[in-house]
Amino acid sequence: MKQIKISDATMRQTSEGFRLSFKEKIELSKLLDKLGVNFIEIDGIKDSRIDSLQIKSIASVVNGSGISVPVELNKESVEKTWCALREAKHPRLMVEAPASSVQIEYLFHKKPDALVKAVCETIIKCKELCADVEFVALDATRSEQELLTEMLATAIDAGATTITLCDTAGTMLPEEFAAFISRQYELLPKLSTVTLGIASSNEIYMADASLIAAISKGAEQICAAAYPINNASLANIARVLSAKSDSLAATSGVNITQLSRIIEQIAWMCQSGKGKAKITSADDGESASIFLTSHDELSAVSLAVQKLGYDLSDDDMLKVYNAFRQISGKKERVSFKELDAIVASSAMQVPSTYKLDTYVITSGNTISATAHIKLTKNGQPVEGVYIGDGSIDAAFQAIEKITGCHYELDDFQLQAVTEGREAMGETVVKLRSGGKVYSGRGISTDIVGAGIQAYLSALNKIIYEEEVE
């Protein structure tokens, strides 16, 4: 009995009024992973920053299912997509191309020979990076058979491990689709050396039946959707495979016992219209009055981080967003000052060149504040003394004297994180170097101690980046 692979395309659907937030896509991925689908299809990279983070986020929460991401027909797209996908436990690169002359010339503006060559070169590049490569022949049922056979043979020779044939128009009856699949095996025997996938639009409400019919002719992977708009229904396909496994000599790995409950959760998520909130503010002039909510997506958080002056890498932005989600799940609003603290504690965590050993601060209403600070630099002790205008100023000036580096103090924030005499103080220090802002965070019952920790945290980030460059 063969195992039919299920590839879910819910997130790749387009329809008026259907939109999933970044957070909802992550939750949907978790549900599909729990359901036991073999592959979760997500959108390719259009906006390098946001889409890359989306791929990385989904890859980080999915354990059992594969993550399938489409690439454009060029090497640059393959490399960019793989950079975001490579940390997935089961990555798959998907190469899509039209097989009908209508779509080739009018949508892709290419001649058939040029398209076949582009497909070949793209699959070869994908195979260099990823072991699992899928070629998807769009509109295959309306293609000229000679061209389709050439395209499929080229894709297999180039290294594709899965070949998917699509009835994009969705106009075939089940027996017609089954006959189409049989014909492909007859005309191209090497098709039996790879996994054959199938997909169909539900234009005439025959998608489910057509895909089931194709299984009896050798198809081994089905593209469906847990929340179908114009796709085959994952729930219906899974139920048929479960009920008729003996007669079809096929089954799937979908968790039937949890199918109804998870499908209901996914349907509620797709219909609820959540995740549409944007950055809101009572007063656009002051960041203190601007806030984010739990419904804000990655794009909104990324914009807020940029407004605070940070230029974070994709990985650091992902860490900030994940930390934001944890905090926003516990409170109604997250202010920009709180976001500052999130950036300071989550982004650019680097090895500490300088570590605090001891510090002594003397101050009073009749003497100037003096700071005597001892640090270790890569394990070696260094120290400095400085007289300043106050305890914080003296401490920061002493650190500058020790390190021999001066950076503009862009901001210094202080707030209590607990109550009472033993209250913990949290500080955020923002240093500016080379036009970029670096932040550090410190927590202590001693305000000066928290400030020193925050300053050193920001300082170590600057030094680390300068050394890397």
Side-chain angles (χ1 to χ4, degrees):
M1 184 174 293
K2 63 183 178 182
Q3 181 98 355
I4 302 299
K5 298 177 181 178
I6 304 294
S7 185
D8 182 87
T10 300
M11 280 185 272
R12 297 195 65 202
Q13 297 178 126
T14 55
S15 177
E16 185 176 351
F18 176 73
R19 175 176 173 269
L20 292 173
S21 70
F22 186 90
K23 182 179 180 180
E24 287 165 341
K25 288 179 180 179
I26 293 175
E27 294 305 316
L28 174 59
S29 300
K30 291 179 181 178
L31 289 172
L32 291 171
D33 190 30
K34 188 175 182 180
L35 187 59
V37 303
N38 298 91
F39 293 96
I40 301 170
E41 297 183 17
I42 59 181
D43 290 323
I45 296 179
K46 294 178 182 177
D47 182 314
S48 295
R49 188 179 190 85
I50 301 301
D51 294 336
S52 293
L53 287 174
Q54 174 178 282
I55 293 170
K56 290 179 181 179
S57 297
I58 292 176
S60 69
V61 300
V62 172
N63 296 309
S65 301
I67 305 296
S68 183
V69 184
V71 300
E72 296 177 6
L73 297 180
N74 60 73
K75 294 181 180 180
E76 292 75 16
S77 174
V78 174
E79 292 172 349
K80 190 182 299 182
T81 303
W82 178 246
C83 185
L85 181 63
R86 62 187 175 189
E87 298 301 325
K89 295 177 178 62
H90 308 287
R92 167 182 279 186
L93 292 174
M94 181 192 299
V95 179
E96 297 177 317
S100 67
S101 57
V102 174
Q103 288 199 356
I104 290 174
E105 295 193 26
Y106 290 97
L107 296 182
F108 272 65
H109 308 293
K110 289 181 178 290
K111 294 296 182 181
D113 291 345
L115 182 67
V116 172
K117 181 181 179 182
V119 166
C120 178
E121 292 175 349
T122 305
I123 292 176
I124 290 174
K125 181 61 178 179
C126 288
K127 194 66 176 179
E128 291 176 358
L129 302 172
C130 182
D132 192 357
V133 179
E134 178 182 11
F135 172 64
V136 181
L138 303 170
D139 209 22
T141 55
R142 294 192 295 181
S143 68
E144 297 176 3
Q145 185 59 61
E146 185 178 350
L147 173 59
L148 178 62
T149 301
E150 179 189 3
M151 189 174 288
L152 299 184
T154 299
I156 294 171
D157 292 341
T161 50
T162 298
I163 299 291
T164 296
L165 303 175
C166 302
D167 180 14
T168 306
T171 55
M172 276 193 166
L173 295 173
E175 56 269 23
E176 293 174 326
F177 198 52
F180 171 77
I181 296 301
S182 294
R183 187 162 65 254
Q184 305 316 309
Y185 276 114
E186 293 171 4
L187 296 173
L188 187 62
K190 67 173 64 176
L191 199 57
S192 60
T193 64
V194 298
T195 298
L196 179 64
I198 47 176
S200 176
S201 167
N202 199 31
E203 188 67 27
I204 59 173
Y205 304 101
M206 286 289 170
D208 297 352
S210 293
L211 299 191
I212 292 296
I215 289 175
S216 64
K217 300 301 180 181
E220 298 174 299
Q221 176 178 296
I222 283 179
C223 178
Y227 182 74
I229 294 177
N230 196 28
N231 278 299
S233 166
L234 185 155
N236 291 345
I237 296 292
R239 290 189 180 106
V240 171
L241 287 173
S242 177
K244 307 298 288 186
S245 58
D246 292 335
S247 57
L248 291 170
T251 186
S252 76
V254 173
N255 190 336
I256 294 296
T257 59
Q258 296 196 53
L259 180 63
S260 295
R261 182 177 63 82
I262 292 179
I263 291 296
E264 286 179 4
Q265 287 180 280
I266 291 174
W268 176 85
M269 183 184 301
C270 293
Q271 296 168 0
S272 65
K274 298 194 316 178
K276 308 301 187 291
K278 302 296 182 185
I279 297 178
T280 52
S281 69
D283 178 4
D284 291 334
E286 295 294 332
S287 64
S289 62
I290 305 177
F291 58 86
L292 298 162
T293 73
S294 61
H295 297 307
D296 278 308
E297 304 175 44
L298 173 65
S299 56
V301 178
S302 180
L303 177 60
V305 169
Q306 290 177 33
K307 286 186 175 181
L308 289 172
Y310 298 108
D311 181 18
L312 302 182
S313 67
D314 289 350
D315 288 340
D316 282 331
M317 190 62 235
L318 179 56
K319 293 175 184 177
V320 169
Y321 182 71
N322 288 335
F324 164 78
R325 285 178 56 214
Q326 292 180 355
I327 293 174
S328 63
K330 300 175 183 178
K331 56 186 301 182
E332 184 177 348
R333 298 178 176 182
V334 176
S335 70
F336 268 33
K337 283 198 172 184
E338 290 170 314
L339 185 61
D340 238 346
I342 292 173
V343 173
S345 60
S346 302
M348 276 193 70
Q349 298 307 305
V350 300
S352 298
T353 302
Y354 289 97
K355 293 182 179 180
L356 177 63
D357 184 5
T358 62
Y359 66 93
V360 176
I361 308 294
T362 58
S363 64
N365 62 349
T366 59
I367 60 173
S368 298
T370 303
H372 180 193
I373 295 180
K374 291 184 179 181
L375 306 176
T376 58
K377 180 183 180 182
N378 297 322
Q380 298 299 316
V382 288
E383 61 182 301
V385 178
Y386 199 88
I387 298 174
D389 293 334
S391 299
I392 295 293
D393 178 66
F396 289 179
Q397 296 280 9
I399 295 174
E400 286 190 4
K401 185 176 181 180
I402 295 170
T403 61
C405 300
H406 172 76
Y407 300 105
E408 179 186 347
L409 181 62
D410 190 77
D411 193 16
F412 176 81
Q413 300 173 19
L414 171 66
Q415 61 181 1
V417 294
T418 58
E419 298 179 353
R421 289 188 175 183
E422 302 297 321
M424 294 285 289
E426 177 186 65
T427 62
V428 173
V429 168
K430 296 168 70 173
L431 301 178
R432 186 176 294 275
S433 173
K436 291 182 64 175
V437 174
Y438 300 80
S439 64
R441 175 174 175 261
I443 295 180
S444 174
T445 54
D446 179 3
I447 294 173
V448 177
I452 293 172
Q453 290 176 12
Y455 191 98
L456 289 175
S457 176
L459 175 66
N460 283 323
K461 293 175 184 179
I462 297 174
I463 293 173
Y464 179 80
E465 187 160 300
E466 288 177 346
E467 289 177 349
V468 170
E469 291 176 353

